[in-house]
Amino acid sequence: ATDSDFEFFSELRPGDRVSLTEVVEDISEEKTTGLGVGHFVTTLKTYRNGDDEIVATQRWRTLRFRPKSADAAAEKKPASGPIPGLRPRPALNADNAFWFEAAKAHRLVIQRCASCGTLRHPTGPMCGQCRSLDWDTVDAAGRGIVYSFVVNHHPQIPGFEYPLVVATIELEEGTRLIANMTGVAPEDVEIGMPVELDWIDADPDLTLPAFRPAAREDS
Ligand SMILES: [Zn+2]
């Protein structure tokens, strides 16, 4: 239960050092809402560039609430946002759409700097090593290990099955990504476990990489 207003004041340039401050502007009295009882918290984020000029501000109003019950919370949905029963949509933009498009074709791609060759994920416009804006992609082999993971029990969001394993996978190419796991019980997931690529075709518009325990390499 969040909404925000974004205002831009000046352009950023490559090399700008951006700072962010956030202040709590307001906390409402206790309110009873359809979601539960809670407070509306308003915060103001201010982004500044290296000359201490304000680049943008973002005011967030978030309802911090106690769900009426876990079941009621699972059924409720914001007026905008998730489509009932489906996984949340990724926020697509010019810097990440290629990655999700490749996933629809069951290709796990990794963004690569076209100048220095450094691989990066999450996707982004600029190389963190050499600041080049030129990039292409390589196809991941689809092998890696579980670098870390959590098992999510609550809050339960429609479109997912719980308990839900959310893992950080380290690919053999060196980049890491967050993914769910398939073909393994949550209690059997271990850090360091070798994994291989699988796919979750969540719905006609959304395919996401997932990882399952790697097949044994016998003989
Ligand atoms: Zn580079």
Side-chain angles (χ1 to χ4, degrees):
T2 296
D3 70 287
S4 74
D5 294 320
F6 213 85
E7 275 191 85
F8 288 99
F9 298 97
S10 70
E11 298 279 328
L12 282 173
R13 293 197 168 71
D16 273 349
R17 301 183 76 85
V18 181
S19 66
L20 166 63
T21 56
E22 182 171 17
V23 294
V24 177
E25 282 195 326
D26 186 60
I27 299 174
S28 75
E29 314 229 308
E30 188 172 272
K31 307 271 190 191
T32 301
T33 74
L35 292 171
V37 175
H39 300 264
F40 287 93
V41 178
T42 305
T43 63
L44 179 66
K45 290 182 173 178
T46 302
Y47 298 82
R48 288 186 170 81
N49 64 19
D51 297 327
D52 216 31
E53 292 167 346
I54 294 175
V55 174
T57 60
Q58 190 171 26
R59 183 171 279 107
W60 289 86
R61 278 178 293 275
T62 304
L63 174 62
R64 305 279 180 185
F65 65 97
R66 216 164 33 245
K68 286 192 284 196
S69 73
D71 288 345
E75 285 168 16
K76 290 288 179 183
K77 60 187 189 302
S80 64
I83 301 166
L86 300 186
R87 284 186 174 230
R89 314 282 91 183
L92 295 179
N93 59 46
D95 296 323
N96 67 14
F98 72 92
W99 192 88
F100 289 97
E101 281 302 313
K104 279 189 195 177
H106 286 195
R107 289 174 55 223
L108 177 60
V109 297
I110 307 172
Q111 196 172 23
R112 175 175 61 184
C113 174
S115 293
C116 76
T118 300
L119 300 177
R120 63 179 185 265
H121 189 85
T123 62
M126 182 183 286
C127 175
Q129 294 298 313
C130 76
R131 295 185 176 177
S132 170
L133 294 168
D134 298 325
W135 57 269
D136 58 10
T137 62
V138 293
D139 283 68
R143 290 184 296 271
I145 59 158
V146 175
Y147 180 81
S148 181
F149 71 100
V150 296
V151 180
N152 192 22
H153 297 268
H154 185 83
Q156 297 198 348
I157 297 167
F160 295 92
E161 288 180 13
Y162 294 86
L164 177 69
V165 178
V166 181
T168 302
I169 303 297
E170 184 166 279
L171 298 176
E172 66 180 20
E173 288 85 359
T175 56
R176 296 175 189 152
L177 74 160
I178 308 290
N180 293 141
M181 292 193 67
T182 56
V184 61
E187 59 269 27
D188 293 335
V189 178
E190 291 179 2
I191 288 173
M193 170 185 268
V195 291
E196 61 188 19
L197 181 60
D198 194 3
W199 291 97
I200 296 174
D201 292 306
D203 60 69
D205 290 324
L206 184 63
T207 295
L208 293 169
F211 288 83
R212 62 181 177 232
R216 300 241 171 119
E217 291 181 17
D218 293 340
S219 73

